[in-house]
Amino acid sequence: MGIEIERVVENESSSLPLLSLNHVSFVCKSVSRSVTFYEDVLGFVLIKRPSSFKFEGAWLFNYGIGIHLLECNSPSDIPDKKSVINPKDNHISFQCTDMLLVMKKLEEMGINYVTAVVEEGGVKVDQLFFHDPDGYMVEICNCDNLPILPLSSCPLKKLPYKELSPLYGKEVSKVRCAMGEENLMMENLVADMIYISF
């Protein structure tokens, strides 16, 4: 029984070594007004901002993400707040466990919002959209109701590796998806168990 020798090598793809989303940044007409909004409405906490910046701003943090607010040079730099809430506009989105509680809070605070429902395969996702003081769109949703289904047949990242050709001993570059890697490991384990049992 021939044994294939494989070597896993460093990922040679052009993807960057990113970890997660760190922060989003918004230019504001009034940083203090926007700080109040993000604290009172969304529960963010004001955190220390480096003092070396030469312009007004504020940093907030919660839910594993930062929001950086930057004071604009002139109020005319920011377009007037949009009167119509358009769910197809650029926005930031937050997962939520109780949509009714959020709606109640927004109503108590006099914040206008629109709702939408997305349905896929019998699963419903509730969404609500509203503007911050400068017209930036915020979405609250229970999007985690939808399963994350990859479009490719390989559900995990593809793993590049180099393999020694059993015939010539040369390295052959191949790409195998992680599920294929798992299947190969199981096949090798079964083959080893059979080999040991004889």
Side-chain angles (χ1 to χ4, degrees):
M1 170 187 250
I3 297 176
E4 283 190 35
I5 299 172
E6 293 184 11
R7 277 191 331 192
V8 176
V9 295
E10 294 288 323
N11 188 345
E12 297 171 358
S13 72
S14 60
S15 64
L16 299 173
L18 305 181
L19 299 174
S20 65
L21 179 63
N22 180 270
H23 70 272
V24 293
S25 184
F26 298 118
V27 176
C28 310
K29 288 183 181 176
S30 167
V31 167
S32 62
R33 184 179 64 169
S34 292
V35 164
T36 300
F37 173 86
Y38 285 100
E39 286 179 325
D40 293 350
V41 178
L42 295 174
F44 276 79
V45 176
L46 198 58
I47 62 171
K48 182 168 175 26
R49 177 178 179 256
S51 58
S52 59
F53 286 121
K54 304 295 184 214
F55 53 88
E56 290 299 314
W59 286 10
L60 299 110
F61 187 83
N62 203 351
Y63 318 110
I65 184 175
I67 293 182
H68 294 184
L69 303 174
L70 315 170
E71 185 98 25
C72 64
N73 295 328
S74 164
S76 61
D77 290 348
I78 298 177
D80 289 335
K81 184 174 174 178
K82 298 170 184 170
S83 58
V84 175
I85 300 172
N86 178 2
K88 288 172 55 177
D89 205 350
N90 295 330
H91 61 273
I92 58 171
S93 179
F94 296 94
Q95 295 265 103
C96 174
T97 58
D98 190 339
M99 296 294 287
L100 293 176
L101 186 64
V102 173
M103 287 188 261
K104 181 180 177 193
K105 182 174 183 176
L106 293 177
E107 288 165 7
E108 288 171 356
M109 298 181 86
I111 297 174
N112 294 328
Y113 64 88
V114 298
T115 60
V117 176
V118 176
E119 188 171 351
E120 178 68 27
V123 177
K124 289 186 180 179
V125 170
D126 299 302
Q127 302 170 294
L128 63 92
F129 299 88
F130 54 96
H131 289 141
D132 82 350
D134 293 290
Y136 297 112
M137 180 81 73
V138 177
E139 175 191 7
I140 307 291
C141 70
N142 53 7
C143 294
D144 59 341
N145 289 350
L146 282 175
I148 297 174
L149 301 173
L151 294 177
S152 71
S153 61
C154 182
L156 302 174
K157 189 174 182 180
K158 292 189 175 185
L159 303 172
Y161 72 96
K162 294 197 180 207
E163 179 180 280
L164 292 178
S165 165
L167 297 176
Y168 305 108
K170 294 181 181 178
E171 285 189 344
V172 179
S173 291
K174 290 189 176 182
V175 174
R176 176 183 290 128
C177 78
M179 186 175 7
E181 193 72 26
E182 182 181 328
N183 289 340
L184 180 65
M185 287 171 58
M186 290 306 294
E187 288 171 12
N188 288 341
L189 176 64
V190 170
D192 289 344
M193 290 174 69
I194 291 171
Y195 181 75
I196 290 170
S197 66
F198 287 113

